[in-house]
Amino acid sequence: MKAKKLRLLLLALCFCLFWLPSTCFGSRVLTEEQYQRLLSISQRQEEISETLNNELNLSEEQLTKQQNELTACRNELAKVKESLEKSKSQSEELKASLKKAEDSQKKAEESLKAYQKLMESKLATAKRQRNFWSIVAATSAVIAIYGMVN
């Protein structure tokens, strides 16, 4: 943008420099004072042109630097996005694994409860059998003692 303005300014300056002598040549002669003034104006325009060129170069350098920084930021953002996606997929895998572990734990608890009920049932059966055989043994002992006494 500045380069375009600078080129237009230089083009206008060249036009003025070529047009000015042709208008002055036939109509009148420049005085030393006018000539010095034109020279100072020309020098001032050259200084302005040089300043604008320097600013343009500086702006281009800054633009290049900012473009490089932007590219670096984009690359970093892409890496962060990739890392975030990887973390997200790992999180989903961990959630699925946790769900499986919870399901497995529930099945284990149910299995343990069923085993506990089975063991309680077997224990109750064993107690009943023990009590039954204790009664049979006691009854047999009483009958044997009663038969011996009579």
Side-chain angles (χ1 to χ4, degrees), residues 112-128:
L112 182 60
K113 286 180 183 177
Y115 181 74
Q116 186 178 5
K117 285 182 183 179
L118 177 66
M119 287 296 114
E120 287 174 355
S121 172
K122 284 186 177 186
L123 186 59
T125 302
K127 282 183 181 180
R128 281 193 307 274

Side-chain angles (χ1 to χ4, degrees), residues 12-113:
L13 177 64
C14 289
F15 178 76
C16 288
L17 289 176
F18 286 116
W19 180 70
L20 186 64
S22 65
T23 58
C24 294
F25 185 71
S27 63
R28 63 179 189 186
V29 176
L30 289 176
T31 64
E32 181 67 27
E33 183 180 315
Q34 291 172 333
Y35 177 73
Q36 290 300 325
R37 187 164 182 231
L38 284 176
L39 259 172
S40 69
I41 290 172
S42 174
Q43 288 173 351
R44 179 67 182 142
Q45 287 177 340
E46 285 180 17
E47 290 172 2
I48 290 172
S49 175
E50 189 175 319
T51 303
L52 289 174
N53 274 332
N54 291 339
E55 287 180 9
L56 175 63
N57 290 337
L58 182 63
S59 294
E60 287 175 349
E61 290 173 7
Q62 288 176 346
L63 178 62
T64 303
K65 183 180 176 183
Q66 288 174 347
Q67 285 174 337
N68 292 340
E69 289 175 359
L70 179 61
T71 302
C73 287
R74 284 183 178 159
N75 291 340
E76 189 175 337
L77 179 61
K79 288 178 184 177
V80 168
K81 280 185 178 180
E82 183 180 318
S83 175
L84 183 60
E85 289 296 324
K86 191 181 285 186
S87 295
K88 185 178 179 182
S89 66
Q90 287 176 348
S91 174
E92 289 174 359
E93 288 175 7
L94 288 174
K95 283 181 183 178
S97 177
L98 180 61
K99 178 70 174 159
K100 283 183 180 180
E102 287 174 349
D103 291 343
S104 177
Q105 182 183 5
K106 285 180 184 178
K107 286 180 183 178
E109 287 175 358
E110 290 172 359
S111 176
L112 182 60
K113 286 180 183 177

Side-chain angles (χ1 to χ4, degrees), residues 135-146:
I135 292 173
V136 169
T139 306
S140 298
V142 170
I143 291 174
I145 292 175
Y146 184 69

